[in-house]
Amino acid sequence: MFRYFPTNYVWSLSVSIAMNCGGQIGEIEQICAPLVDAAEDGDDAGTEKFFQSWCTFADGLVRQAERDLAEGHPLSAAARYSRASVYYLVAERMQSRHYAPREAAYRKSVEACRLAIEHGQERAEFVEVPYEGTSYPALFVPADGEPPAGGYPVMVFCNGLDSMKEMLFRLGLPRELARRGIATLCVDQPGTGASLRERGLPAIHDSERWASAAVDYLEGRPDVDGTRIGMSGVSLGGYYAPRAAAFEKRFKLCAVWGANYNWGELQKRRLRREGENPVPHYWDHVQWVFGKDSLEDFMAFAPSMSLEGVAERITVPFLVTHGEDDRQIPMEFAVPQYENAVGSPDRHFKVFSRAEGGSSHAGADNEAVPAHYIADWVADRL
């Protein structure tokens, strides 16, 4: 993975996320150059400086996009809005939940994404998925071309611990699926994105609850083939997606972008400071995500986040991918996810090597490699 901040994995991960979601290296250099010294003080310290630098640059891009629109150049404006949205999101996800300015940055990011889609004439639709008396937001991305007579096949694509549907949309997978004739529903499932920030919906271990709601929604769309719906997830989505496919039998396949067999056990290791965290203020962050009042409450809950005894229930084609250099999820949490899926009639385990690319956590070094691989595997079956 590109280490802009050589001694700071978490900050460097944010740089890689920005680049993989369409950020420009020259812009990122302008943003990060003033932060080099602050990065030496660790993951948590200096995050407000990090926030200000990324948001200030994004604000400038928005002003430039507004000038583009005034001059009659909507496509140029859309490109700037898209990058601004990514930079706002990178800034926001690095902050403590108690840092009030993150709320405005989040709203700016979502609005910039909407404007990028509108002015760029991108095929994507903001939708609401009815869920247990309320709803959660999602982005529906149709496949290229008009839907076939029976509707598009579609993949539900879920977040990990700290991503948002706007990030999923800008990663390569929805675009590559669309090119192969498959639509994508990028979801802000409970505990992520707007569901957490605006709806107060915490994450849950039994992901089939919100995943089944996504299937219900998709089955009601006339442009979707309800008999060809798959499930996918990135990072912690590597736990959520298999769990959903194990219990929601309407899914026809499952493909994970980064294995996550026993996330609860991993939390015990992180308390011992083993491996890398994905965000600063990590323990406060996970309490926020899962709606827990204390670290003790969270650690009591964490063991439920395991696929032990669950992977065996997967009865559809199942793809497990993982990177050999993943510094967040050890390989030992990937192998049993594949080996225990004994009920799958068509299971595959793909390890992305350093030479091939995609070897860092969730392909942070090169997201194009796993995006193409997963899209090919899904298209061959769905």
Side-chain angles (χ1 to χ4, degrees):
M1 188 182 79
F2 174 53
R3 299 290 293 270
Y4 187 95
F5 305 104
T7 63
N8 194 319
Y9 171 86
V10 175
W11 288 30
S12 292
L13 178 64
S14 286
V15 171
S16 292
I17 289 171
M19 290 195 297
N20 282 325
C21 290
Q24 290 292 315
I25 185 63
E27 294 177 342
I28 293 171
E29 162 65 16
Q30 292 180 60
I31 294 167
C32 291
L35 302 174
V36 171
D37 290 341
E40 297 293 325
D41 295 329
D43 301 346
D44 297 357
T47 51
E48 291 185 21
K49 289 182 180 179
F50 184 101
F51 179 89
Q52 294 298 334
S53 192
W54 285 83
C55 285
T56 297
F57 195 93
D59 288 342
L61 279 178
V62 168
R63 289 192 295 271
Q64 293 171 37
E66 291 168 347
R67 287 197 293 271
D68 288 333
L69 288 179
E71 294 169 359
H73 301 139
L75 296 179
S76 295
R80 288 192 166 105
Y81 279 131
S82 178
R83 298 198 304 278
S85 175
V86 170
Y87 299 160
Y88 284 131
L89 288 176
V90 166
E92 191 269 355
R93 69 177 284 280
M94 288 279 285
Q95 304 307 307
S96 163
R97 59 171 158 168
H98 306 293
Y99 185 60
R102 75 179 296 175
E103 297 178 10
Y106 179 75
R107 289 193 297 271
K108 287 180 179 180
S109 74
V110 174
E111 179 62 15
C113 183
R114 287 182 183 274
L115 290 169
I117 290 171
E118 175 187 347
H119 295 297
Q121 302 178 31
E122 296 182 87
R123 300 184 70 206
E125 176 187 357
F126 287 87
V127 301
E128 290 288 327
V129 176
Y131 168 71
E132 298 187 359
T134 181
S135 66
Y136 63 79
L139 261 172
F140 181 79
V141 185
D144 290 354
E146 295 301 313
Y152 300 117
V154 61
M155 291 292 289
V156 177
F157 189 23
C158 73
N159 289 306
L161 179 69
D162 51 80
S163 54
M164 304 87 164
K165 65 185 181 301
E166 290 80 9
M167 284 182 173
L168 298 182
F169 176 58
R170 291 303 175 197
L171 286 173
L173 185 57
R175 177 84 288 265
E176 294 309 321
L177 288 170
R179 293 174 65 192
R180 291 160 174 81
I182 299 167
T184 305
L185 185 71
C186 301
V187 299
D188 270 350
Q189 79 268 15
T192 68
S195 288
L196 179 65
R197 290 159 176 80
E198 299 177 353
R199 314 290 172 86
L201 295 173
I204 55 177
H205 80 281
D206 43 352
S207 55
E208 66 274 12
R209 287 165 52 189
W210 51 258
S212 294
V215 177
D216 292 341
Y217 166 78
L218 290 168
E219 286 184 337
R221 288 187 66 109
D223 55 353
V224 164
D225 182 348
T227 69
R228 290 190 291 167
I229 301 175
M231 183 71 206
S232 185
V234 62
S235 189
L236 187 54
Y239 162 81
Y240 291 130
R243 164 86 196 200
F247 292 100
E248 174 47 81
K249 295 303 182 182
R250 288 177 292 176
F251 285 121
K252 294 301 186 289
L253 57 74
C254 179
V256 300
W257 190 339
N260 226 316
Y261 183 68
N262 193 335
W263 193 75
E265 174 62 28
L266 187 67
Q267 304 318 295
K268 298 178 184 178
R269 298 190 182 190
R270 285 183 174 168
L271 274 178
R272 300 194 296 264
R273 302 188 65 82
E274 297 178 20
E276 299 284 2
N277 292 334
V279 290
H281 320 290
Y282 178 76
W283 295 110
D284 184 65
H285 184 83
V286 293
Q287 291 171 55
W288 178 43
V289 167
F290 290 95
K292 304 305 177 185
D293 294 329
S294 67
L295 180 58
E296 291 73 21
D297 287 346
F298 169 74
M299 292 304 297
F301 160 82
S304 66
M305 297 284 290
S306 171
L307 295 173
E308 291 182 352
V310 174
E312 291 85 347
R313 294 172 176 260
I314 297 171
T315 55
V316 293
F318 184 39
L319 172 66
V320 178
T321 73
H322 209 66
E324 70 172 4
D325 290 331
D326 195 318
R327 294 178 57 174
Q328 293 186 45
I329 312 296
M331 189 65 69
E332 66 187 271
F333 287 88
V335 173
Q337 189 159 324
Y338 165 77
E339 289 184 341
N340 289 321
V342 292
S344 170
D346 178 16
R347 56 180 172 151
H348 291 258
F349 184 40
K350 170 63 177 177
V351 176
F352 296 106
S353 68
R354 193 174 306 167
E356 182 181 15
S359 66
S360 295
H361 179 71
D365 59 307
N366 185 346
E367 61 83 23
V369 173
H372 278 268
Y373 186 93
I374 294 169
D376 285 340
W377 187 90
V378 168
D380 287 345
R381 291 156 178 81
L382 198 59

